[in-house]
Amino acid sequence: MEEETGEGPVLDRTTAPKDFHFYPLDLYDSADRLQIFPKESSRMRREGVQTEMTSEPRGAAKGKPPRDLEEEVDELVHLYGLEDDDELGDEFINENTPRIEVSEYPPYMEQRDWQLRGEVAEAEDLDFGGWGSAGQCQDLREAYRYTHGRASEEYECYVIPEEEDEEEAADVFCVTCKTPIRAVQNVLDEHKEHEVTPLNKALESARDEIHKNMYKLEKQIIDMENFASHLEEVFITVEENFGRQEQNFESHYNDILETLAQKYEEKIQALGEKKKEKLEALYGQLVSCGENLDACKELMETVEEICHEEKVDFLKDAVTMADRLRKFLETKTDVEISAQPALEDQTLDFSDVEQLLGSINTIPAPSAPVINPQAPNSATGSSVRVCWSLYSDDTVESYQLSCRPVQDGTPGKNQAEFTMTVKETYCSVRNLVPNTQYEFWVTAQNRTGVSPASECAVYMTAPSPPVIKSKEVRSCEEAVLICWESGNLNPVDSYTVELTQAETPGASGLTESVVGIPTCESLVQLQPRQTYSIYVRALNVGGPSARSEPTTVHTTGSYFRLNEHTSHPWLTISEDGLTAVRSERRTPAREPLPSNTRFTRCVAVMGNLIPVRGRHYWEVEVDERLDYTVGVAFEDVPKQEDLGANCWSWCMRHMWVSPRHKYEFLHNKMTPDIRITVPPKKIGILLDYENSNLSFFNVDISQHLYTFSCQLHQFVHPCFSLEKPGCLKIHNGISMPKHVTFY
């Protein structure tokens, strides 16, 4: 779009045609510039501009006759290789084609006006649809716009696009819409009825929600893995049982086939022998019958011959023949068949085969199972998971698992035994005693009988949760010293301390663990000015115990309690361990006996400060008319001496003799000459291990009283003494005041 002003035509970027492209200005027309068209086109273009500036037709400068617009179009058609396209020529010559006219503007104005009008018109109005494909037309338009967007030696108009302002980052979060938004008035008006929270808080909340969901997902994954493991065990058990059954059937089938084959051979052999015997008998009888028949035929022939003889010869031979016939006839001839042709009934005895067939479903009693050693983390405080296996091809219908407790490292022979029946090769035994050893053994059984018992294996339940000694917890800004009771009669292997940071801005809310702690106390490093929930677990071979009850620790300042084990008998320590009271009516007639742990000379008590080097600060609330001593001392300070009377203690002492206050800063019975005009009602004490200093302050007026330069070769503890009846109240676990940080 053009806007004519006194300065000539200007192209408005916001109203430019949609597909009008702008390119960076190259003032120097570098050598590596992309050449889209031949050099002749640039020359022709410059000639056209020069012609426009001199108000002469193109080519006049060289003495050539002026050419009309049709000739110029033909030259352009030839230049761009469009001679074969009939439609393009007509479309170049139409009413919308820009014409070159002499303008009333100055030459450079006229040049810019002609170039801009020509470029816009040609970019918008020239229709290349009749030449080539759509892609070729688009390429031609892009090439045209590209060349006309570059700089040349003449004046041209360029519009450099301005960079759009980057969208401001969102800084609040709309909980209702669940989207980040910017804290600007027009945006907040749209969400004024919605719940809005700072983006950082929403981010932390989303992270915590993701962590919680991840924890639930991990738990679900563990449950699914356990269930899959259970299914796998059942699958393996079923597969093994059916595999053994198939092997049993195959074995019995082979036995039956072998028995039948043996019986077949025996019957065939018996039939052959019977056949041979009968045939031999019949053959013998047949031979005998043939011999008798031959003898009869011979006698008949002999008798016939005798009958034809003469009488005398006949008589001779007749007598002999008669004797022969008589003897032959007297011989008994067996005319009965010795072997009957009928076959005997051959009854087959398949009783043993039937017995084999009946024994297919009869399986042998299983052999003894093998019980597995206890797996890590397989127990809780009241249950244990016992596993066993079979190394034979036995078919098992169920198992009998038995157990009894172990006492003093030996099985309790007289202890009650209990047995349970299971189908799988594992069992979770419940209602057991924590941190206790149990002896287990198992037998397998089927319909045939019960296997021998397996070897015994000792399993152990997990420990009971420890009990944290909340009154003995000591902390500072960098660490905490936590103590606990085991809660188990039998020893455990180790302990684990778990720290959960409270959900405060900047806190992750995740759980950290300190593992492998051998004793019932641990010094744990922490982050300053945070709140932690601390748990303890006990571990043994059976696994970890449940979490203990939590204790809360604030890492703001140093926190400690008064140690009742060091307290003089005349002092009473409050329940919270922060107040020491000396009462008049409880003062006995004589002093207590000397002790290495309790103060016996001065009525004093020590505090349990955490053994961490750094800076520790606490305050003591006192009465202006009370005789007291406050300071620090080594743990092994002599309990039969006054505080400040030796080289193991550094103290501030106050004595009131109406109407005068006397203050002393004692170490090894020496004190500087210091006058305190404003009696403090609350004394601040700063113990600085790094600089080996001990400083005292009047808290109410932020006044520095005195600083000891101490040789602290070991840890010291706060100490407090009451020379007369009264009380001292300790304030700790507080931030260090600003006036203290300069010392």
mmCIF file of all heavy atoms in Angstrom, residues 50 79 132 136 151 225 244 253 269 329 343 356 448 532 559 580 644 683:
data_model
loop_
_atom_site.group_PDB
_atom_site.id
_atom_site.type_symbol
_atom_site.label_atom_id
_atom_site.label_comp_id
_atom_site.label_asym_id
_atom_site.label_seq_id
_atom_site.Cartn_x
_atom_site.Cartn_y
_atom_site.Cartn_z
ATOM 1 N N GLN A 50 17.929 4.530 -15.392
ATOM 2 C CA GLN A 50 18.575 5.724 -15.901
ATOM 3 C C GLN A 50 17.678 6.441 -16.900
ATOM 4 O O GLN A 50 17.599 7.662 -16.947
ATOM 5 C CB GLN A 50 19.910 5.365 -16.537
ATOM 6 C CG GLN A 50 20.931 4.865 -15.510
ATOM 7 C CD GLN A 50 22.181 4.316 -16.153
ATOM 8 O OE1 GLN A 50 22.256 4.268 -17.383
ATOM 9 N NE2 GLN A 50 23.135 3.910 -15.332
ATOM 10 N N LEU A 79 14.187 -13.268 -22.466
ATOM 11 C CA LEU A 79 15.168 -13.365 -21.379
ATOM 12 C C LEU A 79 14.815 -14.482 -20.404
ATOM 13 O O LEU A 79 15.677 -15.235 -19.955
ATOM 14 C CB LEU A 79 15.247 -12.017 -20.650
ATOM 15 C CG LEU A 79 16.176 -11.975 -19.425
ATOM 16 C CD1 LEU A 79 17.619 -12.217 -19.873
ATOM 17 C CD2 LEU A 79 16.051 -10.635 -18.716
ATOM 18 N N GLY A 132 3.522 -22.817 -17.560
ATOM 19 C CA GLY A 132 4.141 -23.890 -16.764
ATOM 20 C C GLY A 132 3.209 -24.391 -15.675
ATOM 21 O O GLY A 132 2.019 -24.131 -15.646
ATOM 22 N N GLN A 136 6.330 -23.962 -10.971
ATOM 23 C CA GLN A 136 7.170 -23.070 -11.761
ATOM 24 C C GLN A 136 6.725 -21.630 -11.603
ATOM 25 O O GLN A 136 7.550 -20.720 -11.508
ATOM 26 C CB GLN A 136 7.126 -23.487 -13.233
ATOM 27 C CG GLN A 136 7.831 -24.829 -13.486
ATOM 28 C CD GLN A 136 7.642 -25.306 -14.908
ATOM 29 O OE1 GLN A 136 6.581 -25.091 -15.469
ATOM 30 N NE2 GLN A 136 8.654 -25.940 -15.465
ATOM 31 N N ALA A 151 19.703 -4.826 -2.953
ATOM 32 C CA ALA A 151 20.176 -3.471 -3.264
ATOM 33 C C ALA A 151 20.950 -3.459 -4.564
ATOM 34 O O ALA A 151 21.561 -4.443 -4.945
ATOM 35 C CB ALA A 151 21.075 -2.968 -2.134
ATOM 36 N N GLU A 225 5.269 -56.634 40.463
ATOM 37 C CA GLU A 225 6.407 -57.537 40.308
ATOM 38 C C GLU A 225 6.303 -58.712 41.275
ATOM 39 O O GLU A 225 6.593 -59.856 40.909
ATOM 40 C CB GLU A 225 7.702 -56.769 40.541
ATOM 41 C CG GLU A 225 8.067 -55.814 39.414
ATOM 42 C CD GLU A 225 9.333 -55.048 39.705
ATOM 43 O OE1 GLU A 225 9.797 -55.105 40.876
ATOM 44 O OE2 GLU A 225 9.866 -54.395 38.786
ATOM 45 N N ARG A 244 6.311 -83.980 35.446
ATOM 46 C CA ARG A 244 6.568 -85.253 36.141
ATOM 47 C C ARG A 244 5.456 -86.251 35.885
ATOM 48 O O ARG A 244 5.699 -87.455 35.754
ATOM 49 C CB ARG A 244 6.713 -84.972 37.639
ATOM 50 C CG ARG A 244 8.017 -84.299 38.005
ATOM 51 C CD ARG A 244 8.250 -84.344 39.498
ATOM 52 N NE ARG A 244 7.278 -83.547 40.225
ATOM 53 C CZ ARG A 244 7.465 -82.259 40.527
ATOM 54 N NH1 ARG A 244 8.581 -81.651 40.167
ATOM 55 N NH2 ARG A 244 6.558 -81.596 41.193
ATOM 56 N N TYR A 253 3.684 -96.533 30.519
ATOM 57 C CA TYR A 253 3.321 -97.013 29.189
ATOM 58 C C TYR A 253 4.420 -97.896 28.619
ATOM 59 O O TYR A 253 4.160 -98.972 28.065
ATOM 60 C CB TYR A 253 3.058 -95.821 28.280
ATOM 61 C CG TYR A 253 2.759 -96.184 26.843
ATOM 62 C CD1 TYR A 253 1.524 -96.706 26.471
ATOM 63 C CD2 TYR A 253 3.724 -95.996 25.847
ATOM 64 C CE1 TYR A 253 1.257 -97.036 25.151
ATOM 65 C CE2 TYR A 253 3.466 -96.320 24.536
ATOM 66 C CZ TYR A 253 2.232 -96.840 24.192
ATOM 67 O OH TYR A 253 1.980 -97.169 22.895
ATOM 68 N N GLN A 269 6.370 -119.013 22.145
ATOM 69 C CA GLN A 269 7.303 -120.114 22.400
ATOM 70 C C GLN A 269 6.565 -121.351 22.931
ATOM 71 O O GLN A 269 6.837 -122.498 22.514
ATOM 72 C CB GLN A 269 8.363 -119.666 23.405
ATOM 73 C CG GLN A 269 9.454 -120.706 23.651
ATOM 74 C CD GLN A 269 10.528 -120.185 24.583
ATOM 75 O OE1 GLN A 269 10.452 -119.057 25.045
ATOM 76 N NE2 GLN A 269 11.523 -121.008 24.851
ATOM 77 N N LEU A 329 -1.543 -161.611 15.020
ATOM 78 C CA LEU A 329 -2.862 -161.150 15.453
ATOM 79 C C LEU A 329 -2.917 -160.914 16.957
ATOM 80 O O LEU A 329 -3.722 -160.130 17.427
ATOM 81 C CB LEU A 329 -3.935 -162.151 15.034
ATOM 82 C CG LEU A 329 -4.163 -162.290 13.516
ATOM 83 C CD1 LEU A 329 -5.161 -163.387 13.212
ATOM 84 C CD2 LEU A 329 -4.623 -160.974 12.929
ATOM 85 N N LEU A 343 -7.686 -127.630 18.951
ATOM 86 C CA LEU A 343 -6.776 -126.779 19.732
ATOM 87 C C LEU A 343 -7.303 -126.616 21.151
ATOM 88 O O LEU A 343 -8.501 -126.475 21.372
ATOM 89 C CB LEU A 343 -6.629 -125.394 19.098
ATOM 90 C CG LEU A 343 -5.948 -125.327 17.723
ATOM 91 C CD1 LEU A 343 -5.933 -123.898 17.184
ATOM 92 C CD2 LEU A 343 -4.534 -125.860 17.818
ATOM 93 N N LEU A 356 -0.122 -103.460 36.173
ATOM 94 C CA LEU A 356 0.625 -102.315 35.666
ATOM 95 C C LEU A 356 -0.297 -101.170 35.267
ATOM 96 O O LEU A 356 -0.026 -99.998 35.537
ATOM 97 C CB LEU A 356 1.490 -102.723 34.477
ATOM 98 C CG LEU A 356 2.737 -103.545 34.795
ATOM 99 C CD1 LEU A 356 3.388 -104.012 33.512
ATOM 100 C CD2 LEU A 356 3.712 -102.719 35.614
ATOM 101 N N THR A 448 0.350 -91.232 47.905
ATOM 102 C CA THR A 448 1.074 -92.439 48.325
ATOM 103 C C THR A 448 1.618 -92.303 49.737
ATOM 104 O O THR A 448 1.595 -93.259 50.517
ATOM 105 C CB THR A 448 2.221 -92.719 47.346
ATOM 106 O OG1 THR A 448 1.684 -92.846 46.035
ATOM 107 C CG2 THR A 448 2.964 -93.989 47.727
ATOM 108 N N TYR A 532 12.931 -30.528 59.599
ATOM 109 C CA TYR A 532 13.066 -31.922 59.194
ATOM 110 C C TYR A 532 12.230 -32.818 60.108
ATOM 111 O O TYR A 532 12.104 -32.551 61.311
ATOM 112 C CB TYR A 532 14.528 -32.384 59.270
ATOM 113 C CG TYR A 532 15.458 -31.728 58.286
ATOM 114 C CD1 TYR A 532 16.082 -30.529 58.585
ATOM 115 C CD2 TYR A 532 15.717 -32.322 57.052
ATOM 116 C CE1 TYR A 532 16.941 -29.925 57.685
ATOM 117 C CE2 TYR A 532 16.577 -31.725 56.145
ATOM 118 C CZ TYR A 532 17.186 -30.522 56.469
ATOM 119 O OH TYR A 532 18.035 -29.936 55.572
ATOM 120 N N TYR A 559 20.181 -25.854 69.554
ATOM 121 C CA TYR A 559 19.166 -26.327 70.496
ATOM 122 C C TYR A 559 19.782 -27.402 71.385
ATOM 123 O O TYR A 559 20.430 -28.336 70.890
ATOM 124 C CB TYR A 559 17.957 -26.891 69.745
ATOM 125 C CG TYR A 559 16.895 -27.459 70.659
ATOM 126 C CD1 TYR A 559 15.975 -26.621 71.286
ATOM 127 C CD2 TYR A 559 16.822 -28.823 70.914
ATOM 128 C CE1 TYR A 559 15.009 -27.122 72.141
ATOM 129 C CE2 TYR A 559 15.858 -29.337 71.768
ATOM 130 C CZ TYR A 559 14.956 -28.483 72.379
ATOM 131 O OH TYR A 559 14.012 -28.982 73.226
ATOM 132 N N ALA A 580 16.200 -24.222 85.246
ATOM 133 C CA ALA A 580 16.815 -24.752 86.466
ATOM 134 C C ALA A 580 16.328 -23.921 87.647
ATOM 135 O O ALA A 580 16.393 -22.683 87.615
ATOM 136 C CB ALA A 580 18.333 -24.711 86.364
ATOM 137 N N GLY A 644 34.661 -21.252 86.826
ATOM 138 C CA GLY A 644 35.561 -20.137 86.630
ATOM 139 C C GLY A 644 36.780 -20.161 87.518
ATOM 140 O O GLY A 644 37.659 -19.300 87.374
ATOM 141 N N ILE A 683 20.747 -12.516 79.033
ATOM 142 C CA ILE A 683 22.143 -12.528 78.616
ATOM 143 C C ILE A 683 22.280 -13.401 77.371
ATOM 144 O O ILE A 683 21.846 -14.563 77.367
ATOM 145 C CB ILE A 683 23.043 -13.071 79.740
ATOM 146 C CG1 ILE A 683 22.882 -12.216 81.001
ATOM 147 C CG2 ILE A 683 24.492 -13.113 79.300
ATOM 148 C CD1 ILE A 683 23.573 -12.798 82.210
#
